[in-house]
């Protein structure tokens, strides 16, 4: 069977939701005419109701869970604060059951119509270079270290059908800068330092060595509004010498009210010939029209030749 790849693929990346998802968001995605939707996690504090709405979206999609999606489960600290009885309920598993194969944490999904695969990094990441929540990762995935995590991500890469691979994580990789304003920079006191995921950086390097094309690595977790300064926003885009675009999509809050409108944001990525052509942050109004569009990245003509 011959696969005819679309000339231009439109991808919506949905940053950290934190309970701000409504039925209107699904309509907005349809109106935007996207071919694929990527969710980078943090739907809420084990917000099964939000995940239920995400699971019902009738568009090609891939999802990875964030640290808030196991907020009351992954750590002893969280379990002590849990509003429900873990002997009776498992809200992490409820979310996974709803999402089914669309949850790609430590997994992958092939999209034949788009001639690409989406591979998920380590789910539930808090970021940083300390291996956290050891018991949780051991029980959920049988993983005990960053090195084992790298191998699990690479197993998904090797299983993916297509040469073009998009990687999604909740947090981004190390290596994108150690300034507080960097895509994964530590912006709380004392500000500064790379809070990325070292296993994701290692997995990306090894994915290149397998001959895969990685046009896009996208993630959230580190919100655009910075804690240490209000003079600027976090850097949202970094590009690598290999041509990969790294997109932090955590524009939070993702729904805002104005005097006359209710706006919701999406990051829109245009992919042409296996290369990211353009990235924009768009805000959609109550009438589902694009109220504003901020161009975050435009590929040079030389890249697209």
């Amino acid at each position: 069977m011959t696969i005819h790849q679309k000339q231009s693929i439109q991808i919506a990346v949905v940053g950290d939701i934190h309970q701000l998802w409504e039925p209107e968001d699904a309509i907005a995605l349809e109106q935007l005419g996207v071919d694929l939707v990527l969710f980078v996690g943090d739907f809420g504090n084990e917000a099964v109701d939000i995940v239920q709405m995400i699971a019902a979206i009738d568009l090609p999609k891939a999802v990875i869970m964030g640290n808030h999606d196991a907020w009351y489960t992954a750590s002893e600290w969280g379990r002590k604060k849990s509003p429900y009885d873990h002997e009776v309920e498992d809200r992490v598993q409820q979310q996974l059951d709803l999402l089914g194969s669309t949850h790609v944490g430590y997994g992958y999904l092939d999209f034949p119509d788009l001639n690409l695969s989406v591979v998920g990094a380590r789910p539930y990441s808090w970021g940083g270079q300390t291996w956290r929540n050891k018991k949780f990762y051991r029980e959920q995935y049988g993983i005990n270290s960053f090195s084992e995590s790298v191998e699990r991500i690479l197993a998904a890469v090797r299983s993916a059908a297509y040469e073009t691979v998009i990687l999604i994580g909740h947090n981004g990789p190390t290596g994108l800068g150690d300034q507080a304003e960097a895509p994964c920079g530590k912006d709380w006191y004392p500000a500064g330092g790379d809070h990325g995921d070292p296993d994701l950086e290692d997995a990306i390097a090894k994915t290149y060595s397998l001959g895969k094309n990685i046009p896009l690595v996208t993630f959230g977790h580190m919100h655009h509004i910075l804690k240490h300064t209000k003079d600027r926003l976090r850097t949202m885009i970094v590009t690598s010498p290999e041509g990969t675009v790294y997109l932090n999509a955590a524009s939070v809050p993702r729904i805002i009210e104005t005097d006359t409108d209710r706006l919701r944001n999406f990051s829109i990525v245009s992919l042409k010939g296996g290369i990211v052509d353009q990235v924009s942050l768009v805000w959609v109004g109550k009438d589902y029209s694009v109220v504003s569009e901020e161009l975050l990245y435009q590929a040079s003509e030389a890249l697209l030749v």
Side-chain angles (χ1 to χ4, degrees):
M1 181 178 68
T2 302
I3 300 292
H4 297 286
Q5 185 176 10
K6 291 186 63 171
Q7 266 199 329
S8 179
I9 298 168
Q10 300 299 308
I11 302 169
V13 184
V14 182
D16 300 32
I17 287 173
H18 293 298
Q19 297 284 348
L20 293 179
W21 185 268
E22 300 168 339
E24 290 82 357
D25 284 294
I27 299 170
L29 285 170
E30 291 177 3
Q31 293 296 313
L32 286 167
V34 298
D35 302 295
L36 176 64
V37 189
L38 304 177
F39 292 90
V40 299
D42 271 8
F43 300 105
N45 291 345
E46 301 188 17
V48 176
D49 56 336
I50 300 293
V51 171
Q52 191 167 27
M53 286 194 284
I54 300 301
I57 294 170
D58 189 22
L59 286 168
K61 61 182 178 287
V63 180
I64 192 164
M65 302 293 256
N67 58 306
H68 280 266
D69 303 316
W71 192 252
Y72 300 121
T73 302
S75 68
E76 286 301 316
W77 170 87
R79 282 179 171 266
K80 288 176 182 176
K81 295 178 176 292
S82 180
Y84 68 92
D85 184 350
H86 285 259
E87 297 297 321
V88 177
E89 285 188 86
D90 184 344
R91 293 186 185 174
V92 170
Q93 190 58 50
Q94 287 175 35
Q95 293 173 87
L96 293 173
D97 289 344
L98 285 165
L99 293 170
S101 63
T102 64
H103 180 251
V104 295
Y106 283 144
Y108 71 96
L109 263 182
D110 295 323
F111 293 92
D113 290 346
L114 306 178
N115 202 30
L116 61 80
S117 301
V118 176
V119 171
R122 171 166 45 96
Y124 310 106
S125 174
W126 284 71
Q129 298 179 48
T130 300
W131 184 252
R132 300 179 59 149
N133 301 328
K134 298 175 184 178
K135 184 172 183 284
F136 175 76
Y137 280 112
R138 184 170 61 250
E139 291 179 350
Q140 288 286 118
Y141 299 104
I143 289 176
N144 299 283
S145 65
F146 285 125
S147 60
E148 291 180 12
S149 179
V150 172
E151 290 309 310
R152 181 64 69 88
I153 298 167
L154 283 176
V157 170
R158 292 188 184 100
S159 297
Y162 296 100
E163 179 185 343
T164 295
V165 170
I166 292 173
L167 279 156
I168 65 170
H170 177 56
N171 191 42
T174 47
L176 302 182
D178 59 5
Q179 306 87 359
E181 302 84 10
C184 301
K186 178 175 168 287
D187 62 325
W188 55 92
Y189 181 84
D194 190 340
H195 198 65
D197 288 355
D199 48 340
L200 181 51
E201 181 184 17
D202 195 3
I204 290 167
K206 290 177 177 176
T207 298
Y208 288 136
S209 71
L210 293 173
K212 296 284 190 177
N213 170 42
I214 311 174
L216 176 68
V217 176
T218 190
F219 50 90
H221 188 50
M222 308 296 277
H223 298 180
H224 294 175
I225 295 175
L226 295 163
K227 293 182 173 68
H228 74 297
T229 180
K230 301 306 173 193
D231 293 339
R232 58 161 295 173
L233 295 175
R234 184 179 298 282
T235 299
M236 303 170 203
I237 295 272
V238 168
T239 59
S240 76
E242 295 85 0
T244 299
V245 172
Y246 292 83
L247 168 64
N248 178 331
S251 179
V252 177
R254 64 166 303 275
I255 297 178
I256 60 173
E257 290 273 3
T258 70
D259 290 340
T260 58
D261 212 341
R262 186 169 177 83
L263 307 176
R264 56 199 75 245
N265 75 63
F266 304 90
S267 296
I268 304 297
V269 179
S270 174
L271 203 65
K272 290 184 179 177
I275 296 170
V276 173
D277 171 42
Q278 184 174 296
V279 182
S280 297
L281 179 65
V282 303
W283 289 88
V284 176
K286 284 189 292 190
D287 64 354
Y288 303 111
S289 66
V290 174
V291 173
S292 71
E293 179 174 2
E294 179 185 359
L295 182 64
L296 303 179
Y297 171 80
Q298 179 73 59
S300 67
E301 289 187 15
L303 276 176
L304 297 172
V305 171

